[in-house]
Amino acid sequence: QVQLVESGGGLVQAGGSLRLSCAASGRTFGSYVMGWYRQAPGKEREFVASATDYSESVKGRFTISRDSAKNTVNLQMTNLKPEDTAIYYCAADWRILGPQRNWRTIPYWGQGTQVTVSS
């Protein structure tokens, strides 16, 4: 089992940058596929990034990285847009994460961190 805690959200102006971090606890961190999802008000939770894939809306602007020594997964977000405003969630599974997955089938989630981008 793994526990996930996100940090790094906040308020930023359009065009700005933020870095989200997800700290994972558990001895088998290396066994999990890690990724980021987001959920805007009134919308479904959607895939953002994993080690092998990015959503089309964030390609070229967001970068995911993993530090196995520190058990963390980071999401560097640049050139932020108002439509990036959402609660961002860290996710973990043994299977591949990506836009084709139903997010409800993913077993492990963090509590979420709010990202607000003002225009």
Side-chain angles (χ1 to χ4, degrees):
Q1 199 167 12
V2 62
Q3 290 78 44
L4 308 171
V5 178
E6 303 97 334
S7 62
L11 173 64
V12 64
Q13 289 188 332
S17 299
L18 279 176
R19 181 180 174 89
L20 306 183
S21 291
C22 173
S25 61
R27 295 181 180 179
T28 58
F29 172 74
S31 301
Y32 292 95
V33 177
M34 306 293 294
W36 288 92
Y37 286 69
R38 67 186 182 187
Q39 188 165 14
K43 294 188 177 182
E44 277 286 294
R45 192 169 299 190
E46 64 175 3
F47 170 78
V48 174
S50 68
T52 56
D53 203 359
Y54 291 89
S55 73
E56 289 297 323
S57 62
V58 307
K59 275 183 182 177
R61 301 188 298 122
F62 290 12
T63 303
I64 190 171
S65 61
R66 181 170 182 153
D67 187 337
S68 296
K70 296 181 179 179
N71 281 9
T72 59
V73 177
N74 303 306
L75 186 69
Q76 180 68 46
M77 306 185 293
T78 63
N79 191 21
L80 283 160
K81 304 175 181 181
E83 51 264 42
D84 294 318
T85 295
I87 299 174
Y88 283 70
Y89 296 91
C90 181
D93 197 355
W94 300 277
R95 298 175 292 171
I96 292 174
L97 300 178
Q100 74 285 355
R101 288 283 308 275
N102 182 337
W103 66 267
R104 294 176 179 82
T105 66
I106 298 169
Y108 301 113
W109 295 94
Q111 82 287 353
T113 185
Q114 177 70 48
V115 171
T116 303
V117 184
S118 63
S119 57

